[in-house]
Amino acid sequence: MTAQDLSTTYSEIQAEATLLAGDLLDIPRRAAVLHEIFLDSGRNHTFPQMAVHGALWAFSFFEVGGRLGRLIGKRYFYNSRERAFRLGLLQSFAEDFRRINRSVCIDTYTNYHFSKRLGREPGADQFVHPDLLAELNQVHECREVGHSMTPDEQRNVFQQSFLWEQELTVAPGVKDAIESFDCRFMRALCMRPVVRFSFFPWCRFLWFRNFYDTDERIRKGLQAYDFAQAAGWDQVVDSTRSYGLLSETALINPQEHYRNLTRDLLPDERREEPGGDNR
């Protein structure tokens, strides 16, 4: 296969991913896409399932109607103009986070499906970083023979996926979002989020000192992954219900939900049957 063939296929898959990811407000759709990757991998590629929680948590925290928005509303209850101004800043920041989430979804879908089709072709590492490609190829090998990866192997795949997304997509996006603030109070609030995914142990939170710091985000992300492994992936999947953003069909029959999504968005020749079990 020529380099041009690889490039064409990569671009086609990326276009599919962009279509499936929807617009900035289509967070439930992106959750369905990411969850399907987890299922298709035989539940070996855990990064997309963790990304589902990241997207759903961010919506509940950063949106104007979320926890941070309610805090700002109380802080400026006495001044409607000031309150509206601060909430407008928060809305802009939330949109930046949705943009990051959308990019992560597109990257994750593209890397997974490109490596699934052509990951063993010479030159594939020009499109997916060699370290990440090696881990994804291992995922596909395990999937093909119905093998479950060990917890350490799963963690290695997650870590490579997480590190490259932080470097290529998340870090630049967070930098742009935070530097766009001209309000010290709002910047301080958004740089010190208190993160609690729905599968965390009771009374466990991730307290950020500086969300702008990539190293801290990586440390906290790996800590969240440790919580997920301890909880078990069934609990990680089931606990997405707690955010209140996903439909009953998406929760009870995610494969049917994904099938309907691709039927509406992708041409027949580009659809794949959902893989894995139905959780």
Side-chain angles (χ1 to χ4, degrees), residues 28-223:
R29 181 195 292 188
R30 291 192 286 277
V33 172
L34 291 165
H35 181 55
E36 171 55 27
I37 295 172
F38 171 70
L39 294 180
D40 187 78
S41 73
R43 300 163 64 95
N44 287 315
H45 189 15
T46 56
F47 173 77
Q49 189 61 47
M50 293 291 289
V52 170
H53 280 273
L56 297 177
W57 167 82
F59 184 88
S60 66
F61 186 82
F62 286 116
E63 294 295 325
V64 169
R67 288 190 292 277
L68 197 54
R70 293 194 294 272
L71 174 63
I72 292 169
K74 292 177 181 178
R75 170 67 174 79
Y76 293 99
F77 74 94
Y78 57 87
N79 189 325
S80 60
R81 290 182 62 184
E82 191 68 20
R83 183 171 64 249
F85 172 69
R86 308 289 177 174
L87 290 175
L89 292 177
L90 179 62
Q91 180 64 29
S92 176
F93 188 78
E95 288 179 0
D96 288 336
F97 258 76
R98 290 195 296 267
R99 192 170 290 108
I100 294 169
N101 165 256
R102 183 174 183 271
S103 295
V104 168
C105 179
I106 292 169
D107 291 346
T108 303
Y109 181 98
T110 303
N111 291 337
Y112 178 79
H113 285 283
F114 177 80
S115 60
K116 182 180 177 181
R117 296 184 201 176
L118 301 175
R120 293 296 180 184
E121 290 288 335
D125 57 1
Q126 299 300 306
F127 299 89
V128 179
H129 189 277
D131 293 341
L132 176 57
L133 182 63
E135 296 294 341
L136 289 175
N137 282 341
Q138 186 179 2
V139 168
H140 301 310
E141 289 176 6
C142 290
R143 174 187 176 277
E144 288 168 4
V145 299
H147 172 66
S148 294
M149 301 176 83
T150 67
D152 285 345
E153 289 171 335
Q154 287 182 335
R155 196 177 200 278
N156 288 339
V157 179
F158 170 82
Q159 187 163 328
Q160 281 299 326
S161 301
F162 183 59
L163 291 177
W164 284 109
E165 281 302 324
Q166 286 294 318
E167 179 174 334
L168 298 178
T169 301
V170 178
V174 170
K175 179 177 183 292
D176 291 343
I178 290 178
E179 290 185 352
S180 67
F181 273 125
D182 58 1
C183 172
R184 292 172 60 187
F185 172 72
M186 291 293 297
R187 180 182 293 185
L189 279 180
C190 292
M191 285 176 64
R192 295 177 175 83
V194 179
V195 178
R196 176 174 168 78
F197 292 170
S198 56
F199 59 81
F200 280 12
W202 186 70
C203 279
R204 294 302 297 270
F205 300 85
L206 299 179
W207 300 80
F208 278 84
R209 297 171 63 90
N210 182 3
F211 199 72
Y212 188 86
D213 184 349
T214 298
D215 290 339
E216 184 178 9
R217 288 199 310 275
I218 290 172
R219 289 196 304 273
K220 295 291 198 296
L222 294 176
Q223 187 177 353

